[in-house]
Amino acid sequence: MVQGREKMKRTILLSILIVFIVVVSSCATMPPTSKQAKIALVLGAGSSKGFAHIGVLKVLEMNHIPIHMIVGTSVGSAVGSLYAYGYDAFQLQRISFAIEKRDIADYIIPFPTNGFIKGEKLEEFINKTVNNTPMEGLKIPFYAVATDIQDGHEVVFDKGNTGQAVRASCSIPGIFRPVQIGNRMCVDGGVVSPIAVDAARKLGADIVIAVDISGEVDRTKPESTIATIFQSFNIMYSKLGQIQLARADVVIKPEVGYISSSDFSKRNEAILEGEKAAMEALPQITEIINRLKKKGRLEEQ
C-alpha cells in the first residue's frame, strides 16, 4: 500500500517535470518579439526653399510611407508642425499658395534692434493654423530644433507652445529677433543643426529620411543686407548639413539651388522639385519599408 503511494507520487512528479521541461524548451525556441521600428522624417533648413518639403510629403503620403516622428529645423519646423497637426500634404499646398510675406513677417521700422523681424506674426500664424494645439497634442510626435545663442547648444523642443517653438527654430540671426524661452535665448536651429539627423537618432528613430533643401550655393551677387545674410546662412546650411546627412538612411535632395532664400514667387517650382526628388528616392525607401515588414518590425498600412 505504501509502495503504491510512493510509486504514484513519483509518477506525478515525473509528469510535472516533463511538462516543465516542455514549457521551458518551447519558450527558449520562440523568437523574441520584434521591436517596432520608428521612422523619422527630418526636414531641413532653407527659408523659401522650404516649399519643397510639401512636395516631398505629397509623394510619401501618396505611397503610404509611415512617419512616426517629424524633426524640423527652421522652415522645416514650420512645415513639420502643420503636418504633425493633421493637415495632409495637399492641404499644406493650398495653405502655402495662400500665404504672403506680410502674414508671417512683422518688420521693425524704422530702427531695427537685434533683427529686422520680430517673429510674433509667425508665432501667431502657426498657433492659429494648429488651433493653439501644444506640441504634445499634435497627432504625430513633433520636435523643433533651435540654437541657444548664449552657449551654442542645440535645443530640441517637444512640448509647449507650438508657434513659439517654430518661431525660435526659424529665427535667423540678424533677420529675426532672438526668442526668449525660459532661461534660453534661442535663434535658428540651422546655426548648429540645419538637418537634425543626430537629434532624430537620440529621440529613438531607427530609420531616418532626411530632406536637404540647402541646394547648391547661389552664385549671384547679393544686393542687400538681408540677401547677404540669407546667402551666408545658405552656405553654412550646405556645409554643416553634410556632416549629419552621412548618418541618414535616405537623403532626399530637391534641386532648389536656383531659388533665392527670400523668394516666395517660386513656391510652385519648389514643390515640384520636392516631388521629383522624393520620387527618385522612393525605391530606396520602399526597399527599407519592405525589409522592416518582412522582419515583423513594421505593421501593414
Side-chain angles (χ1 to χ4, degrees), residues 9 16 50 69 72 75 81 93 99 116 127 132 146 157 164 180 184 213 217 221 259 282 293-294 301:
K9 285 182 182 179
I16 292 172
M69 69 172 75
V75 68
S81 68
Q93 180 170 280
I99 194 171
F116 293 94
N127 280 333
N132 292 307
F157 293 104
Q164 188 179 56
Q180 189 74 37
R184 296 181 182 274
I213 56 168
V217 176
K221 181 180 177 181
I259 298 175
L282 192 59
K293 287 179 178 178
K294 189 174 181 180
Q301 295 296 302

Side-chain angles (χ1 to χ4, degrees), residues 7 56 69-70 84 132 150 165 173 211 218 244:
K7 186 176 180 180
V56 171
M69 69 172 75
I70 299 173
N132 292 307
Q150 294 175 278
V211 185
D218 186 354
Q244 292 199 43

Side-chain angles (χ1 to χ4, degrees), residues 254-267:
E255 297 294 331
V256 289
Y258 67 95
I259 298 175
S260 169
S261 295
S262 58
D263 186 0
F264 267 45
S265 69
K266 292 185 173 64
R267 62 190 80 185

Side-chain angles (χ1 to χ4, degrees), residues 35-48:
K35 172 179 169 285
Q36 288 294 293
K38 288 185 179 180
I39 299 174
L41 180 64
V42 176
L43 303 178
S47 302
S48 294

Side-chain angles (χ1 to χ4, degrees), residues 75-101:
V75 68
S77 74
V79 176
S81 68
L82 302 185
Y83 195 75
Y85 170 71
Y87 291 106
D88 64 37
F90 288 91
Q91 289 173 317
L92 286 186
Q93 180 170 280
R94 286 195 292 273
I95 291 171
S96 75
F97 286 161
I99 194 171
E100 299 294 341
K101 282 186 181 179

Side-chain angles (χ1 to χ4, degrees), residues 29-213:
T29 56
M30 283 176 65
T33 302
S34 296
K35 172 179 169 285
Q36 288 294 293
K38 288 185 179 180
I39 299 174
L41 180 64
V42 176
L43 303 178
S47 302
S48 294
K49 304 179 201 305
F51 290 108
H53 288 317
I54 298 172
V56 171
L57 285 166
K58 285 173 69 176
V59 172
L60 298 182
E61 191 175 279
M62 286 189 294
N63 289 276
H64 309 289
I65 304 301
I67 299 171
H68 303 114
M69 69 172 75
I70 299 173
V71 182
T73 298
S74 198
V75 68
S77 74
V79 176
S81 68
L82 302 185
Y83 195 75
Y85 170 71
Y87 291 106
D88 64 37
F90 288 91
Q91 289 173 317
L92 286 186
Q93 180 170 280
R94 286 195 292 273
I95 291 171
S96 75
F97 286 161
I99 194 171
E100 299 294 341
K101 282 186 181 179
R102 63 176 178 270
D103 297 325
I104 57 174
D106 39 7
Y107 292 97
I108 302 167
I109 298 173
F111 303 113
T113 55
N114 212 2
F116 293 94
I117 299 173
K118 292 180 184 178
E120 293 172 1
K121 271 195 171 184
L122 173 60
E123 179 177 332
E124 290 168 4
F125 173 81
I126 294 295
N127 280 333
K128 180 180 178 181
T129 310
V130 302
N131 291 314
N132 292 307
T133 306
M135 295 181 74
E136 59 269 32
L138 300 176
K139 292 181 179 179
I140 300 173
F142 166 67
Y143 306 89
V145 179
T147 302
D148 187 327
I149 195 64
Q150 294 175 278
D151 61 18
H153 288 160
E154 177 185 79
V155 181
V156 180
F157 293 104
D158 63 350
K159 60 185 176 181
N161 187 317
T162 302
Q164 188 179 56
V166 170
R167 174 186 173 188
S169 183
C170 291
S171 292
I172 300 172
I175 301 292
F176 284 81
R177 278 182 175 174
V179 183
Q180 189 74 37
I181 301 179
N183 61 349
R184 296 181 182 274
M185 181 173 280
C186 297
V187 296
D188 190 303
V191 172
V192 293
S193 194
I195 309 167
V197 173
D198 291 345
R201 296 287 188 198
K202 291 175 185 175
L203 292 164
D206 299 291
I207 301 297
V208 174
I209 301 172
V211 185
D212 175 17
I213 56 168

